[in-house]
Amino acid sequence: MNYQIETQCIHGEKNTSLEHPYGAVSVPIYQTATFAHPGIGVSTGFDYSRQSNPTRSELERTVSALEGALDTTACASGMAAISLCLEILKPGSHIVCSEDLYGGSVRIFDAAAEKRNFSFTYVDTSDIVQTERCITAQTKALYIETPSNPTMQVTDIRQMKLLADKYRLLLIVDNTFLSPYFQNPLKLGADLVVHSGTKFLGGHNDTLAGFVCTCRQDLADQIRYFYKTTGGCLSPFDSFLILRGIKTLAVRQERQQSNAKKIAEWLKTQKKIRNVYYVGLPEHPGFEVNRSQSRGAGSMISFRTDTEETARKTLEKLKLITYAESLGGVETLITYPMLQTHGDVPAETREKLGITGDFLRLSVGIEAAEDLIGDLEQALQKN
Ligand SMILES: Cc1ncc(COP(=O)(O)O)c(C=O)c1O
């Protein structure tokens, strides 16, 4: 039975309550490192929790249902998920990536370049011609974020798939910003989808998690092998928390998106705001492409203030909106990418991308939009 995504958020592929002991409606937390064998060479299906655990397996099946994946591995963080993707590439591989990426991804790519002889070319992947020019005989993968963190560049996933097929490359998409509720890159041809589950999937700013999803059996086998070997798995309790978070993914994201639309429109009318970057605004250069490949614009907004001083004072004066790293949760957070998420990106690259002192990123939560706008208004007025 193919359920709608709102139903999949609650039940995954099917209602499993009667499969749990005593008919537990909420998945039990199997807080165990190991599992007894009923006989020699006989397994219950679970042997050791680094490899698999029933609570985590239920979460993995749910995320697979949401992404349309054959297999999903639940990792200890988004970074653990991204490092698994690198594991399956051979040393010497060249990877073409979106020029605007989460700073932690750039950091792990730098480390892989130094220690494992990988090389990376950063390019505006919204420009297919430029992207194709970066491909060399050593290129093994395309790695994109759409919308990207934090400048909200949109990349056409279908176009990337055409390039990937032409040059026999892996297409890897970080789908954190829209989550499977709004976008399913595997269905558009991606080979691997990664998530920071810490964000929208968890949704409550209380747990770290990451996911690698694929619809290819050969890749699933390789990922599973490195997963059990490197051990960056998600604990049973955290798996429970993320499953609980996913139950409200649909209602949270609808509410977050509706708040974000109101805030983006309001920001546009403010004298001290110079640019608003939100893929739900028709004037955003990626609006049409995003609309063609997703079911929504999500709730991430970046904006540029008139001066760096305005940006800094706004951060200091906000009372309700929390100045903190991360995104996707029920609480509205504001981030200063230059110092936080992208602090390790070389200054020259940051400047080129526009991640400067006047640039702020907002992750809109589920509070009343009026209260969020009121908070931004009082903070901007005090400048
Ligand atoms: C787009 C994106 N991908 C990956 C990550 C890394 O996820 P985690 O913090 O769960 O390791 C983040 C973290 O902010 C992110 O924004």
Side-chain angles (χ1 to χ4, degrees), residues 33-49 51:
T34 192
F35 299 83
H37 293 281
I40 297 171
V42 185
S43 168
T44 59
F46 294 95
D47 300 328
Y48 191 59
S49 280
Q51 185 165 6

Side-chain angles (χ1 to χ4, degrees), residues 159-361:
Q159 296 249 39
M160 290 296 119
K161 166 70 175 158
L162 291 178
L163 276 189
D165 282 349
K166 185 168 168 190
Y167 295 95
R168 302 172 69 90
L169 311 174
L170 278 186
L171 177 56
I172 308 173
V173 182
D174 183 332
N175 198 28
T176 300
F177 263 34
L178 286 184
S179 96
Y181 180 67
F182 284 128
Q183 183 167 268
N184 296 123
L186 293 178
K187 294 184 180 164
L188 301 172
D191 298 293
L192 295 171
V193 161
V194 292
H195 281 284
S196 169
T198 315
K199 316 300 193 226
F200 289 99
L201 289 163
H204 293 76
N205 287 320
D206 56 7
T207 320
L208 292 174
F211 297 97
V212 183
C213 315
T214 183
C215 41
R216 278 178 48 182
Q217 188 63 56
D218 59 330
L219 294 178
D221 292 345
Q222 291 176 54
I223 293 279
R224 284 269 164 211
Y225 172 78
F226 287 111
Y227 181 74
K228 77 170 179 194
T229 305
T230 56
C233 57
L234 194 65
S235 76
F237 183 61
D238 286 339
S239 299
F240 167 83
L241 283 177
I242 300 288
L243 261 175
R244 190 164 78 150
I246 289 175
K247 285 184 199 284
T248 55
L249 180 70
V251 283
R252 280 189 283 110
Q253 292 231 263
E254 288 296 341
R255 169 58 176 245
Q256 285 171 290
Q257 176 172 256
S258 126
N259 279 354
K261 282 186 175 158
K262 289 181 193 158
I263 293 172
E265 289 294 349
W266 178 83
L267 282 169
K268 270 169 47 180
T269 64
Q270 299 306 299
K271 273 205 239 67
K272 289 184 181 162
I273 304 297
R274 280 207 289 124
N275 303 90
V276 182
Y277 306 86
Y278 177 55
V279 295
L281 292 175
E283 61 268 35
H284 188 286
F287 177 80
E288 285 303 337
V289 172
N290 185 67
R291 202 159 64 158
S292 74
Q293 63 190 13
S294 72
R295 293 177 290 276
S299 47
M300 297 301 298
I301 305 172
S302 292
F303 58 96
R304 199 175 294 290
T305 52
D306 54 355
T307 62
E308 175 161 346
E309 203 192 351
T310 304
R312 287 182 178 258
K313 284 207 176 137
T314 303
L315 289 174
E316 277 165 7
K317 302 289 177 203
L318 286 167
K319 292 180 180 152
L320 177 65
I321 297 173
T322 307
Y323 169 35
E325 235 164 284
S326 206
L327 60 109
V330 290
E331 298 89 2
T332 299
L333 303 183
I334 192 160
T335 305
Y336 202 19
M338 180 184 81
L339 293 185
Q340 295 178 296
T341 49
H342 292 67
D344 283 350
V345 173
E348 194 187 310
T349 313
R350 275 202 317 261
E351 296 280 325
K352 181 173 168 266
L353 293 170
I355 307 172
T356 42
D358 54 358
F359 186 85
L360 296 172
R361 191 193 75 187

Side-chain angles (χ1 to χ4, degrees), residues 2 62 71-72 75 79 116 118 124 140 180 225 231 233 241 266 276 322 326 329 368 371 378-379 382:
N2 258 353
T62 299
D71 194 28
T72 294
C75 308
M79 292 317 300
R116 295 159 64 184
F118 280 24
D124 174 2
K140 296 287 180 272
Y225 172 78
C233 57
L241 283 177
W266 178 83
V276 182
T322 307
S326 206
D371 291 335
Q378 65 79 23
K382 287 191 179 144

Side-chain angles (χ1 to χ4, degrees), residues 141-162:
L142 299 171
Y143 185 100
I144 62 169
E145 277 180 18
T146 180
S148 66
N149 182 3
T151 65
M152 312 293 160
Q153 288 177 12
V154 173
T155 295
D156 189 326
I157 301 173
R158 292 185 184 92
Q159 296 249 39
M160 290 296 119
K161 166 70 175 158
L162 291 178

